Amino acid sequence: MRLPDNSQFQYQAPDFDELVTLFSNTRSWQEKYRHLMLLGKQIPTLAKEYRVEAAQVDGCESAAWLYHQQINGKHYFIADSDTRIVKGLIAILMAYFHGKNTDELPEQAIEMVFHNIGLSQQLSPSRTNGLQHITQQMQHKFVKLT
Amino acid sequence: MNVMTQSCATPLAIAIRPLFPTLESTEKVQPLCYLDTAATSQKPLSVIERMQDYYLNENSNVHRGAYQLSAQATQKYEQVREQVKNFIYAQQSQQIIFTHGTTEAINMVAWGIEPQITQGDIILVDTASHHANIVPWQQLAKRTGAEVKAIGLTTDSRFDLESYRQLLTLNPKVVAVPHITNALGTVNPVETIVELAKQVNAITLIDGAQAVAHMPLNVSELDCDFYVFSGHKMYGPTGVGILYGKTSQLEALQPLMTGGEMIKTVSFEETTFGALPNRLEAGTPPIAEVIGLGKAIEFIQNNLTAEHQAEEQALLQYLQAQLKQLNGIELYGAHESNIAVVAFNLLGEHHQDIGILLDQQNIAIRCGHHCAMPLMQHLNLKGCCRVSLGIYSTKADIDQFITALKAVQELFAE
Ligand SMILES: Cc1ncc(COP(=O)(O)O)c(C=O)c1O
């Protein structure tokens, strides 16, 4: 499987602390999902040639693709989805995981992050959005390191 | 006609709602707007209470005990067989086989007729079928060297009688089609389909999973060889379904399941199978579910009046009209004569996003491929949204849904 260039991996993910603050101030579902969909637009999209089956994450009713690269001990990811909401959820994962090594991960478990911003239902295994699988695959990269 | 002012009152649905605990649940802040009856219907209290009563007071196995309780359970279980027979106008109660659902019923036929199928035989299946009416036939074809051919759809997504007529010239052995398609709600001309199939001596199976809760059935008049449906889509419990067959066809089926209940004599040298219907009901059946199904049938017989059917039909047309008024919407195979289902997409948007954002507003609809991937391929879609109605669906449900969908559109438009 051909990976995107290293340079494409080294983008700036949304800032984790800012993201947590942003969601803690949302009042309505509209606001929450508006933020989510806007966040999705802040991370890179995958060109068509990289939207291939080998990169596809299982368990998604919508298609999602994930690439990983380790550069100087840090983990970089590019992921995309053909839905706005999964893309936004991926942006949250990027804020949490992208460009970090194991020591730099936020203290809060990722499940707690989703819980605190009121999106834990999207992470549930009973959902077909595949978020749980994407999360596991990203997490796995860090587990292997330690 | 101005659809905004089109009258669409649903007094019968409003009156019936209190019988459905899930719809009336006071635990939720916002009432549930349940528009996914095609996936499974809600259950009236009468069904729930009957099953509870069975477990509280009558639980015992059927067809075995020498004691009163078992004899009573057997009698109640067999009464439902009689009830189903009358409900769908079968001739004899032994023509009613209890299964675990539509899927199992189709598998029983696709497995059971294997001895009658030889290499090169043709099996015709509607393109708009549920996977349950595709995969078992494909597996049969794999085992026997037969071939499954898809009956085409017209440009407006109806069953294509022309395509069907042409395929019939191949002298198919089997014709298996849905009565009403689950993804679109289109009504197939099953009477014509069966009549034409008989002219070439094809065995006919009609998948009635989406029909039985919405219209009266008469399998004798329809004259199909097999008719199948699920209890859970007709206000009954999950885990029970019906395989109806002509007696000679049922007798010719090789049993998919063998074991207890279905035998006459067993020795290590030779086992002989029992008579219908037990022959096709190996093992302990879903007794409570069958008894619950009896109540569901009673419920339909008492409540699905011609007036209520007309009300449901008017509500579907209201729903279609309301959707058509929105900008950037595409409806699929939406005909006036459809039953209980509308399929749509918002152009440029992913069906899954729509589903999640409607869920935020307590609207339950199904978004996906609807177990009909070949149909989705035909429509050139990854998936779509499906709204489906039940006997309890009201105008208020539709209005709530349309308002919610507009809110989703606004959010997308930002
Ligand atoms: C037309 C049709 N056929 C078959 C099935 C399968 O039914 P079950 O899952 O109850 O076996 C369904 C249910 O979704 C259906 O709508």
Side-chain angles (χ1 to χ4, degrees):
Chain A
M1 180 172 73
R2 197 163 68 88
L3 297 185
D5 285 348
N6 269 8
S7 63
Q8 286 187 49
F9 276 97
Q10 288 169 295
Y11 65 92
Q12 189 77 41
D15 183 74
F16 179 71
D17 294 325
E18 277 176 29
L19 181 149
V20 170
T21 316
L22 178 74
F23 278 100
S24 65
N25 291 325
T26 56
R27 305 250 171 279
S28 63
W29 68 270
Q30 283 104 322
E31 226 181 313
K32 195 192 305 175
Y33 281 87
R34 183 179 299 127
H35 287 321
L36 194 62
M37 293 193 280
L38 285 174
L39 269 177
K41 290 181 182 167
Q42 289 175 26
I43 58 169
T45 51
L46 266 178
K48 210 171 177 182
E49 71 238 55
Y50 295 109
R51 294 178 164 230
V52 294
E53 202 169 328
Q56 207 160 326
V57 182
D58 288 342
C60 311
E61 174 145 343
S62 54
W65 304 267
L66 176 66
Y67 288 90
H68 164 257
Q69 186 68 282
Q70 197 177 341
I71 305 166
N72 299 328
K74 299 188 192 235
H75 296 279
Y76 294 83
F77 301 91
I78 304 177
D80 210 342
S81 154
D82 51 10
T83 87
R84 296 187 194 229
I85 290 169
V86 174
K87 189 75 192 277
L89 295 166
I90 288 173
I92 296 177
L93 293 177
M94 291 306 174
Y96 189 94
F97 290 111
H98 180 76
K100 295 177 181 170
N101 63 34
T102 308
D103 296 333
E104 292 166 335
L105 289 182
E107 265 173 42
Q108 224 176 30
I110 184 69
E111 290 79 8
M112 276 314 288
V113 174
F114 278 106
H115 177 77
N116 290 342
I117 60 184
L119 287 168
S120 57
Q121 37 160 322
Q122 300 301 338
L123 196 63
S124 120
S126 64
R127 296 287 164 141
T128 51
N129 61 31
L131 185 66
Q132 207 203 21
H133 291 261
I134 305 173
T135 308
Q136 280 167 356
Q137 285 194 21
M138 291 174 82
Q139 241 164 357
H140 203 62
K141 303 293 178 194
F142 291 87
V143 174
K144 253 195 223 158
L145 238 194
T146 52
Chain B
M1 178 176 50
N2 184 350
V3 286
M4 297 304 282
T5 56
Q6 182 183 326
S7 76
C8 176
T10 46
L12 296 171
I14 292 169
I16 223 167
R17 273 176 94 87
L19 303 182
F20 289 84
T22 40
L23 300 176
E24 294 292 294
S25 172
T26 49
E27 278 171 33
K28 302 188 191 75
V29 217
Q30 234 182 331
L32 170 67
C33 179
Y34 188 76
L35 294 170
D36 197 20
T37 293
T40 196
S41 63
Q42 297 301 333
K43 323 300 175 203
L45 203 56
S46 59
V47 170
I48 301 165
E49 283 178 346
R50 183 66 192 88
M51 291 174 73
Q52 186 183 17
D53 190 47
Y54 167 79
Y55 278 125
L56 287 175
N57 299 309
E58 304 165 27
N59 177 53
S60 56
N61 212 330
V62 292
H63 302 146
R64 1 197 138 177
Y67 47 90
Q68 262 187 40
L69 202 60
S70 170
Q72 276 166 15
T74 307
Q75 193 201 1
K76 303 245 159 78
Y77 176 86
E78 290 302 330
Q79 261 169 12
V80 178
R81 201 188 303 278
E82 192 68 20
Q83 235 183 317
V84 177
K85 181 203 96 175
N86 294 332
F87 180 55
I88 64 172
Y89 294 92
Q91 260 129 32
Q92 300 165 294
S93 54
Q94 63 168 18
Q95 294 178 290
I96 306 300
I97 309 298
F98 291 119
T99 72
H100 292 93
T102 304
T103 304
E104 191 188 42
I106 298 175
N107 274 279
M108 282 166 70
V109 176
W111 175 267
I113 63 168
E114 186 173 324
Q116 301 171 55
I117 302 291
T118 51
Q119 182 149 11
D121 281 351
I122 305 284
I123 298 163
L124 299 187
V125 171
D126 182 7
T127 299
S129 290
H130 187 281
H131 294 160
N133 190 41
I134 299 174
V135 187
W137 302 116
Q138 274 175 337
Q139 293 303 113
L140 170 65
K142 261 193 193 163
R143 295 191 301 269
T144 56
E147 192 184 346
V148 174
K149 285 192 180 283
I151 306 162
L153 295 172
T154 61
T155 48
D156 59 356
S157 304
R158 293 187 206 250
F159 186 90
D160 185 353
L161 273 172
E162 255 336 287
S163 157
Y164 179 53
R165 278 206 175 86
Q166 269 167 25
L167 287 165
L168 284 177
T169 60
L170 303 172
N171 282 320
K173 272 279 172 67
V174 180
V175 172
V177 301
H179 194 160
I180 295 173
T181 63
N182 66 302
L184 303 178
T186 46
V187 184
N188 279 341
V190 285
E191 295 81 7
T192 311
I193 292 171
V194 170
E195 198 181 307
L196 292 173
K198 274 195 296 191
Q199 290 173 11
V200 298
N201 293 319
I203 295 171
T204 49
L205 178 141
I206 310 295
D207 171 358
Q210 293 297 342
V212 63
H214 302 284
M215 61 201 285
L217 301 174
N218 186 326
V219 291
S220 296
E221 234 171 67
L222 182 57
D223 205 26
C224 55
D225 293 304
F226 298 104
Y227 196 98
V228 297
F229 52 95
S230 297
H232 71 99
K233 293 182 199 280
M234 51 178 288
Y235 314 112
T238 56
V240 61
I242 298 296
L243 165 61
Y244 156 85
K246 286 188 182 162
T247 303
S248 60
Q249 293 291 352
L250 288 172
E251 274 169 350
L253 290 183
Q254 106 186 323
L256 169 63
M257 308 274 271
T258 55
E261 291 261 349
M262 55 84 65
I263 47 79
K264 194 157 100 196
T265 61
V266 176
S267 73
F268 281 102
E269 288 70 43
E270 198 185 2
T271 291
T272 50
F273 298 158
L276 289 177
N278 297 4
R279 188 173 172 280
L280 295 171
E281 289 180 8
T284 297
I287 306 166
E289 287 77 5
V290 165
I291 289 174
L293 179 67
K295 278 288 168 192
I297 289 174
E298 229 175 84
F299 173 81
I300 290 180
Q301 285 172 328
N302 291 338
N303 295 290
L304 192 67
T305 54
E307 292 75 31
H308 205 131
Q309 275 180 67
E311 180 179 300
E312 203 180 295
Q313 201 55 23
L315 187 64
L316 179 78
Q317 284 158 12
Y318 176 71
L319 167 61
Q320 289 174 337
Q322 293 294 310
L323 281 173
K324 281 179 186 163
Q325 286 218 321
L326 302 179
N327 292 324
I329 195 163
E330 194 167 47
L331 271 60
Y332 306 105
H335 306 289
E336 227 174 78
S337 59
N338 285 7
I339 299 248
V341 170
V342 179
F344 73 94
N345 268 322
L346 295 180
L347 292 175
E349 299 301 339
H350 197 285
H351 51 85
Q352 194 187 313
D353 285 335
I354 301 166
I356 291 174
L357 294 174
L358 287 173
D359 178 42
Q360 296 305 308
Q361 305 171 73
N362 248 330
I363 313 278
I365 68 163
R366 177 123 179 238
C367 299
H369 53 60
H370 312 293
C371 299
M373 284 187 186
L375 172 65
M376 294 299 126
Q377 286 152 17
H378 170 86
L379 295 169
N380 203 14
L381 299 176
K382 284 179 191 146
C384 61
C385 304
R386 178 187 73 181
V387 181
S388 58
L389 308 177
I391 195 163
Y392 36 64
S393 301
T394 60
K395 176 174 180 288
D397 284 327
I398 303 307
D399 292 340
Q400 191 184 338
F401 159 67
I402 295 287
T403 304
L405 189 60
K406 283 181 181 162
V408 172
Q409 280 190 310
E410 275 167 30
L411 204 54
F412 284 152
E414 283 177 13

